[in-house]
DNA sequence: CCTTGAACCTGGGCGC
DNA sequence: TGCGCCCAGGTTCAAG
């Protein structure tokens, strides 16, 4: 579920609760998520203070005052919510409990019990997410972070960089943009949306956007701008959804915004002047949505 | 090295 | 109501 904008929204939502706050205790309701929790995870985190909450790509990083950081990923279905002692989970999160095979299933796997009395709860039905512990000063060398490409937001992403990385790429643009070693943080939705904005087919081979003198083509310039644009707007949308309707149960992480093509199979292409219809194809085992009429 | 495809896991939606 | 199948916003790993 969460791509970079959602993770950034979660970071902004949690930061005021976490930053500078001591974690009284950590509750682990099972032994693993995607990976087993680190040895002594609870013992290490108990009593530590969160210095700051950061994000890199789709990873959340909580720097502790112990010299270690908690490296977190939400996978496909992870989410956080905040509860207070005053309002103990009043409107129970819709998905906090689930009835299955006659048993009550709870996907609240981790609870940070803060000194403020608040509880920050991690819920993840599919358990593709994870939490790991790593020395803060060595995070750059962590295998999950060391090979990441540039952030798509801010000023780090340039067409010349993409030209260099795409020059020898024979994969379709869809796969190239999902490759976290090139751009870190894009996922299926925003790749579809960026390609639509740039009028580029997800099937186009990445290297065709690089000129023979290895400079970016105009199309690659357009793609670069499209990527920055969708990400910036999605982060804005997340920020406003956080302000406007952070749910009563404190949940955050997913916000619904209109997609031009993602999940719009069969709908008219929203580009004015385009008569095309949004198609769905499968690439790299993922759905690609695009308009074959205006995306070339 | 590169690229593709399967695997990890649970739940929701749909057709029968 | 139930069952089987397909689908889901991510990443890793094996195999070609």
């Amino acid at each position: 579920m969460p791509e970079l904008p959602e993770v950034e929204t979660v970071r902004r939502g949690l930061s005021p609760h976490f930053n500078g706050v001591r974690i009284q205790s950590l509750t682990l309701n099972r032994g693993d998520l995607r990976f087993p929790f680190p040895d002594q995870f609870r013992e290490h985190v108990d009593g530590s203070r969160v210095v700051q909450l950061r994000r890199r790509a789709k990873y959340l990083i909580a720097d502790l005052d112990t010299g270690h950081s908690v490296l977190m990923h939400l996978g496909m279905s992870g989410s956080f919510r905040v509860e207070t002692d005053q309002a103990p989970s009043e409107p129970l999160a819709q998905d906090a409990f689930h009835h299955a095979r006659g048993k009550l299933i709870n996907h609240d796997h981790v609870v940070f019990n803060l000194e403020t009395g608040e509880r920050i709860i991690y819920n993840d039905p599919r358990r593709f997410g994870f939490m790991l512990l790593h020395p803060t000063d060595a995070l750059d060398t962590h295998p999950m972070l060391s090979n990441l490409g540039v952030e798509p937001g801010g000023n780090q992403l340039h067409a010349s960089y993409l030209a260099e990385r795409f020059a020898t790429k024979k994969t379709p643009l869809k796969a190239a943009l999902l490759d976290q070693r090139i751009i870190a943080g894009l996922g299926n939705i925003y790749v579809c949306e960026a390609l639509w904005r740039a009028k580029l087919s997800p099937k186009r081979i990445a290297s065709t956007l690089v000129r023979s003198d290895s400079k970016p083509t105009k199309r690659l310039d357009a793609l670069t701008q499209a990527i920055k644009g969708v990400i910036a707007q999605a982060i804005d949308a997340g920020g406003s959804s956080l302000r406007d309707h952070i749910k009563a149960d404190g949940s955050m992480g997913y916000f619904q915004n209109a997609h031009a093509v993602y999940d719009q199979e069969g709908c008219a292409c929203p580009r004015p002047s385009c008569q095309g219809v949004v198609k769905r194809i499968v690439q790299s085992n993922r759905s690609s949505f695009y308009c074959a009429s205006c995306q070339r």
Side-chain angles (χ1 to χ4, degrees), chain A residues 50-123:
Chain A
V50 178
V51 177
Q52 65 168 338
L53 190 62
R54 294 184 285 150
R55 179 191 60 74
R56 171 73 169 107
K58 302 169 192 171
Y59 296 87
L60 280 173
I61 301 166
D63 294 331
L64 306 179
D65 63 358
T66 62
H68 279 65
S69 297
V70 183
L71 179 61
M72 298 177 274
H73 197 289
L74 303 177
M76 295 274 268
S77 58
S79 66
F80 281 99
R81 70 181 194 279
V82 180
E83 292 180 355
T84 66
D85 280 342
Q86 281 68 30
S89 71
E90 274 200 59
L92 203 56
Q94 302 89 328
D95 59 348
F97 289 89
H98 183 258
H99 218 58
R101 285 178 243 93
K103 280 171 62 180
L104 212 49
I105 306 289
N106 184 345
H107 294 296
D108 290 347
H109 304 308
V110 180
V111 182
F112 295 86
N113 301 291
L114 304 182
E115 65 179 344
T116 56
E118 289 182 322
R119 291 182 298 282
I120 298 185
I121 299 162
Y122 179 71
N123 182 284

Side-chain angles (χ1 to χ4, degrees), chain A residues 221-233:
Chain A
D221 286 330
L223 178 58
T224 306
Q225 290 313 307
I227 292 167
K228 293 184 178 201
V230 269
I231 293 300
Q233 285 180 21

Side-chain angles (χ1 to χ4, degrees), chain A residues 217-246:
Chain A
T217 60
K218 288 236 168 87
R219 287 185 145 118
L220 187 49
D221 286 330
L223 178 58
T224 306
Q225 290 313 307
I227 292 167
K228 293 184 178 201
V230 269
I231 293 300
Q233 285 180 21
I235 290 176
D236 280 354
S240 53
S241 87
L242 212 52
R243 269 195 311 279
D244 298 344
H245 55 274
I246 182 165

Side-chain angles (χ1 to χ4, degrees), chain A residues 156-205:
Chain A
Q156 298 189 54
L157 179 61
H158 301 289
S160 54
Y161 166 79
L162 287 184
E164 180 197 325
R165 301 300 304 266
F166 282 4
T168 60
K169 269 268 173 187
K170 295 194 180 165
T171 56
L173 280 175
K174 176 63 184 290
L177 293 179
L178 283 175
D179 187 342
Q180 304 295 299
R181 297 169 303 177
I182 300 177
I183 301 175
L186 295 184
N188 204 30
I189 293 179
Y190 296 113
V191 167
C192 290
E193 294 297 297
L195 287 170
W196 177 78
R197 290 189 181 206
K199 299 190 187 177
L200 290 168
S201 167
K203 294 192 282 192
R204 173 186 279 273
I205 300 303

